[in-house]
Amino acid sequence: MTTIQDHQTAFLSHHSSSYNAPETAMLVMQQGNDSTRTWPLNRNRPLTIGRSDECDIMLEDRQVSRFHARISWDKDNYLLEDLGSKNGTHVNGQLALSPVPLQDGDEFQIGLRFKIAFIDAGATAPLTFDRQITGLRLDKETRQVWVDGLLVDPPLSLPQYRLLEVLWDAGGSVVTRDDIIDAVWPKESIEGISEQAIDALVRRLRERLADIDREFRYIVTVRGHGFRLDNR
């Protein structure tokens, strides 16, 4: 898995003569609409992230709440706080249940589409990254799926695609087994689908995604609750 530090090293080796460390902490879009965008942080003014055009960082995606998250200065650290969003905010892969102090190199995810890195003031980090296409993407109209920019071919079976779509729509939140049955086998009763059938379908979908990307586990089992989708 390529990390932010890998991109920093590559950038500095090519641009060491012209690079200057940032004088203020900043955010760098790692994955989303524009992976070259940056936003400086101001200790005197909180920064809001969400789908509303009133936010400082507006992310147009239905998995993003109108006012999704906020970053503010608190004595010694910048804190990232989820604002009661529908799909939650994940910091370094962990759901932020309370305000999280940000450290240099931390990555946080808004929905499944956007990943943003926190770069502390004076850190040896680039202002832009030369990123390759990573992660999962799907097209609901054609039911096509891409992993790391490569089309999944042959296409997923209909049950596999339905499973992936219900996980995708959850935006990183947990999807229960009952929800999976409703999405994948809508005409079947819950009693008619065994846990073994669900586990087998999850396993086959994982195998199809791993055919392209063996380094990352996109479907995460949440024991006792169900499954959720993680994305690069």
Side-chain angles (χ1 to χ4, degrees):
M1 179 179 176
T2 304
T3 66
I4 184 173
Q5 286 79 13
D6 295 330
H7 291 296
Q8 293 172 2
T9 301
F11 182 96
L12 291 173
S13 66
H14 287 90
H15 303 275
S16 58
S17 62
S18 59
Y19 171 73
N20 291 312
E23 295 181 359
T24 183
M26 65 180 183
L27 303 179
V28 179
M29 180 68 78
Q30 292 286 87
Q31 174 182 296
N33 291 338
D34 186 350
S35 60
T36 65
R37 290 204 62 186
T38 64
W39 296 270
L41 294 174
N42 186 332
R43 293 186 179 185
N44 298 317
R45 182 179 180 275
L47 180 143
T48 55
I49 304 169
R51 198 176 68 248
S52 170
D53 58 8
E54 297 179 22
C55 292
D56 300 292
I57 299 179
M58 186 177 69
L59 304 177
E60 296 187 60
D61 189 282
R62 65 190 185 89
Q63 293 180 349
V64 178
S65 296
R66 293 188 68 249
F67 295 92
H68 197 107
R70 176 174 57 219
I71 296 177
S72 57
W73 178 257
D74 181 37
K75 297 181 180 178
D76 299 315
N77 301 96
Y78 280 101
L79 297 181
L80 173 64
E81 178 184 6
D82 184 83
L83 298 177
S85 67
K86 178 180 179 181
N87 293 316
T89 303
H90 292 78
V91 181
N92 299 325
Q94 301 296 316
L95 183 64
L97 299 176
S98 59
V100 178
L102 292 175
Q103 299 182 15
D104 182 51
D106 281 349
E107 287 186 338
F108 60 92
Q109 183 165 336
I110 306 290
L112 285 172
R113 187 175 175 185
F114 303 98
K115 278 192 176 181
I116 300 174
F118 171 77
I119 308 300
D120 208 352
T124 54
L127 296 179
T128 60
F129 298 103
D130 297 326
R131 290 186 61 86
Q132 61 182 3
I133 298 175
T134 60
L136 188 70
R137 182 169 64 89
L138 61 83
D139 185 327
K140 292 187 176 183
E141 292 187 5
T142 64
R143 291 181 177 170
Q144 290 181 309
V145 177
W146 291 263
V147 179
D148 293 346
L150 300 176
L151 180 66
V152 175
D153 188 33
L156 298 178
S157 68
L158 182 57
Q160 290 167 359
Y161 177 80
R162 284 176 171 173
L163 170 59
L164 182 60
E165 187 177 80
V166 71
L167 292 169
W168 177 273
D169 287 344
S173 298
V174 175
V175 178
T176 67
R177 291 175 178 270
D178 289 349
D179 291 336
I180 290 174
I181 292 174
D182 289 341
V184 177
W185 299 282
K187 296 182 180 181
E188 300 287 339
S189 66
I190 292 178
E191 292 76 14
I193 304 298
S194 67
E195 289 193 3
Q196 290 78 9
I198 297 173
D199 290 338
L201 180 60
V202 170
R203 182 174 63 254
R204 290 196 297 270
L205 178 56
R206 280 174 172 156
E207 291 170 350
R208 292 301 312 278
L209 300 179
D211 286 341
I212 297 177
D213 186 353
R214 295 188 177 277
E215 302 298 321
F216 192 80
R217 192 174 183 86
Y218 290 94
I219 302 175
V220 179
T221 300
V222 183
R223 296 190 181 280
H225 297 280
F227 304 89
R228 68 175 181 85
L229 189 67
D230 196 6
N231 202 3
R232 285 187 183 272

